[in-house]
């Protein structure tokens, strides 16, 4: 299969289709979402993942609920409970619920579908615009060094985490299209290995040079001048500029700060939670299943197998996200431009 987008609507089958990201990079497979329960499972079990894509999937989930005659208030809360940290989920659900309140019941299903399509198209445009703004930063580094630009990423903030362009990888794709020489250090991103499995898969498809590194190697590379900038995504950003992202992001920000390396978070405006200012106190941090830590997916004889890598029943604490305080964030890249990580910077950019 030659995938180019992470979620789409099959007009012939009249079904919402997504890539099953749990099976990447070993098996490239798409599945249909036909019920509310299937959609909730897809988000919770990370068949789809990444804050923007979760939001788009949830928007389609509300359409699927209406189509299958599920009460929309019930559907709203069931979808909202799937992933507590990513704010795009609530953002998309709120948009669909507001539409449902003002729409005639006879047109409700068609209206929710049309609006989900709109949210999806806006996500594609958002990624492209983030890429254009971030490209300026990469161009500036290249103009100064005239050497391939070395970018470190954490987790997967590529097109698999959105619909098409991605957030943190969008500037990388734009720079590659502009023939700027690049090299990407890809954090493996334990415990689910989104970097090793997804970002590496994406970059390989795009023909962009990269190396997968262990999560603990980033600081060493920064100390030895092998990283020009750090680019990450965000699952929720506070009004004050604190960035909540995949666990381990905070450590990369500290290492970047210590070595005078710019650290940027790329995100759509929909990822900003204007209702909170203190990320450490107010953002709920999801704790996930211990099996993500105790097991690894391996690929043997054309099958994906789950392999135990420590003693059975080992106690595990599996925090999925951490918060990087704004003071360690050089800037925030959005579809509206680049700003400093502060309430003043974000509001000036937004308004």
């Amino acid at each position: 299969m030659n995938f180019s987008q992470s979620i789409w609507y099959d007009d012939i089958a009249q079904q919402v289709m997504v890539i099953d990201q749990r099976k990447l990079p070993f098996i490239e497979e798409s599945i249909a979402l036909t019920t509310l329960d299937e959609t909730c499972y897809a988000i919770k079990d990370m068949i789809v993942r990444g804050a923007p894509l979760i939001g788009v999937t949830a928007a389609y989930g509300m359409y699927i609920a209406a189509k299958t005659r599920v009460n929309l208030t019930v559907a709203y809360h069931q979808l909202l409970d799937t992933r507590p940290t990513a704010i795009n989920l609530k953002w998309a659900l709120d948009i669909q619920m507001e539409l449902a309140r003002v729409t005639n019941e006879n047109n409700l299903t068609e209206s929710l579908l049309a609006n989900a399509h709109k949210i999806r198209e806006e996500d594609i445009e958002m990624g492209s615009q983030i890429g254009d703004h971030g490209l300026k930063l990469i161009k500036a580094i290249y103009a100064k060094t005239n050497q391939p630009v070395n970018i470190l990423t954490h987790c997967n903030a590529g097109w698999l985490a959105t619909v098409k362009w991605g957030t943190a990888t969008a500037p990388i794709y734009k720079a590659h299209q502009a023939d700027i020489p690049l090299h990407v250090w890809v954090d493996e991103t334990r415990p689910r290995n989104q970097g090793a499995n997804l970002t590496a898969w994406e970059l390989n498809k795009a023909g962009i040079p990269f190396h997968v590194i262990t999560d603990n190697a980033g600081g060493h590379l920064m100390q030895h001048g092998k990283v020009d900038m750090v680019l990450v995504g965000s699952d929720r950003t506070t009004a004050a500029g604190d960035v909540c992202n995949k666990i381990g992001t905070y450590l990369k920000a500290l290492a970047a700060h210590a070595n005078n390396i710019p650290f940027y978070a790329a995100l759509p405006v929909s990822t900003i939670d204007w209702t909170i200012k203190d990320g450490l106190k107010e953002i709920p941090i999801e704790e996930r299943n211990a099996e993500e830590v105790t097991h690894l997916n391996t690929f043997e004889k054309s099958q994906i197998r789950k392999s135990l890598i420590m003693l059975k029943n080992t106690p595990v604490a599996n925090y999925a996200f951490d918060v990087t305080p704004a003071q360690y964030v050089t800037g925030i890249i959005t579809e509206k431009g680049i700003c400093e990580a502060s309430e003043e910077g974000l509001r000036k950019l937004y308004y």
Side-chain angles (χ1 to χ4, degrees):
M1 280 183 188
N2 184 23
F3 293 123
S4 61
Q5 297 183 8
S6 58
I7 186 169
W8 64 99
Y9 187 75
D10 186 327
D11 288 310
I12 297 174
Q14 296 188 328
Q15 290 178 331
V16 178
M17 304 295 298
V18 296
I19 299 173
D20 188 345
Q21 298 190 31
R22 301 169 305 175
K23 297 182 178 180
L24 291 176
F26 307 116
I27 298 171
E28 299 179 13
E29 186 174 283
S30 64
I31 62 173
L33 304 180
T34 61
T35 68
L36 175 64
D37 286 344
E38 287 176 356
T39 308
C40 289
Y41 179 77
I43 297 172
K44 194 171 185 65
D45 204 53
M46 296 176 75
I47 292 172
V48 298
R49 22 75 49 211
L53 178 58
I54 288 171
V56 175
T57 306
Y60 279 112
M62 292 294 281
Y63 149 71
I64 291 168
K67 182 182 179 181
T68 54
R69 301 186 182 281
V70 176
N71 179 278
L72 289 187
T73 301
V74 171
Y76 176 96
H77 289 289
Q78 195 171 327
L79 285 161
L80 187 62
D81 288 344
T82 56
R83 298 293 302 274
T85 301
I87 192 62
N88 300 65
L89 173 62
K90 185 177 186 302
W91 169 82
L93 290 172
D94 286 346
I95 289 175
Q96 291 290 62
M97 275 301 283
E98 184 58 33
L99 176 66
R101 289 190 188 102
V102 298
T103 302
N104 185 291
E105 190 173 342
N106 294 332
N107 303 321
L108 183 58
T109 302
E110 293 78 8
S111 296
L112 288 171
L113 177 60
N115 210 39
H117 288 337
K118 181 184 176 186
I119 291 170
R120 178 182 174 279
E121 291 303 314
E122 287 174 349
D123 184 89
I124 294 172
E125 181 61 23
M126 168 276 297
S128 180
Q129 290 171 346
I130 287 175
D132 290 336
H133 293 303
L135 172 59
K136 299 169 189 173
L137 300 172
I138 298 174
K139 277 184 174 178
I141 293 172
Y142 181 58
K144 189 181 294 185
T145 66
N146 204 33
Q147 297 291 325
V149 181
N150 287 289
I151 301 170
L152 187 142
T153 68
H154 189 71
C155 197
N156 172 260
W159 65 264
L160 287 168
T162 62
V163 178
K164 185 174 182 180
W165 284 97
T167 54
T169 60
I172 294 171
Y173 291 133
K174 293 279 186 171
H176 183 62
Q177 289 182 353
D179 294 325
I180 297 174
L182 294 165
H183 172 265
V184 183
W185 297 110
V186 179
D187 274 356
E188 62 181 342
T189 322
R190 285 280 290 146
R192 290 188 68 101
N193 287 0
Q194 294 101 320
N197 290 340
L198 305 179
T199 304
W201 180 81
E202 282 190 35
L203 295 175
N204 184 59
K205 292 271 189 185
I208 297 173
F210 70 92
H211 282 87
V212 173
I213 57 172
T214 63
D215 288 346
N216 293 326
H220 167 78
L221 293 171
M222 293 185 216
Q223 283 180 323
H224 291 271
K226 295 183 180 295
V227 178
D228 295 305
M229 69 185 302
V230 181
L231 260 177
V232 301
S234 174
D235 287 82
R236 184 183 298 206
T237 297
T238 70
D242 300 332
V243 173
C244 180
N245 194 50
K246 183 57 60 179
I247 193 77
T249 302
Y250 173 51
L251 294 179
K252 295 304 182 298
L254 290 178
H257 183 75
N259 290 279
N260 297 312
I261 293 166
F263 177 98
Y264 287 94
L267 52 111
V269 169
S270 60
T271 303
I272 302 169
D273 188 342
W274 299 102
T275 68
I276 62 174
K277 293 184 180 180
D278 190 332
L280 292 175
K281 293 180 180 178
E282 298 181 85
I283 296 178
I285 299 299
E286 180 181 355
E287 293 185 54
R288 293 185 59 82
N289 195 305
E291 192 176 271
E292 293 182 348
V293 177
T294 60
H295 291 68
L296 270 179
N297 282 347
T298 57
F299 192 60
E300 305 169 39
K301 298 179 180 178
S302 300
Q303 287 189 327
I304 298 173
R305 301 180 187 276
K306 209 173 271 292
S307 300
L308 184 67
I309 60 170
M310 59 188 72
L311 286 176
K312 193 174 181 181
N313 298 322
T314 298
V316 166
N318 184 16
Y319 298 99
F321 301 92
D322 59 28
V323 175
T324 298
Q327 70 192 84
Y328 299 116
V329 181
T330 306
I332 293 176
I333 310 168
T334 78
E335 67 269 36
K336 293 180 177 291
I338 304 171
C339 69
E340 67 176 28
S342 67
E343 184 171 6
E344 182 183 3
L346 285 169
R347 291 196 178 277
K348 189 182 295 183
L349 184 69
Y350 185 74
Y351 290 112

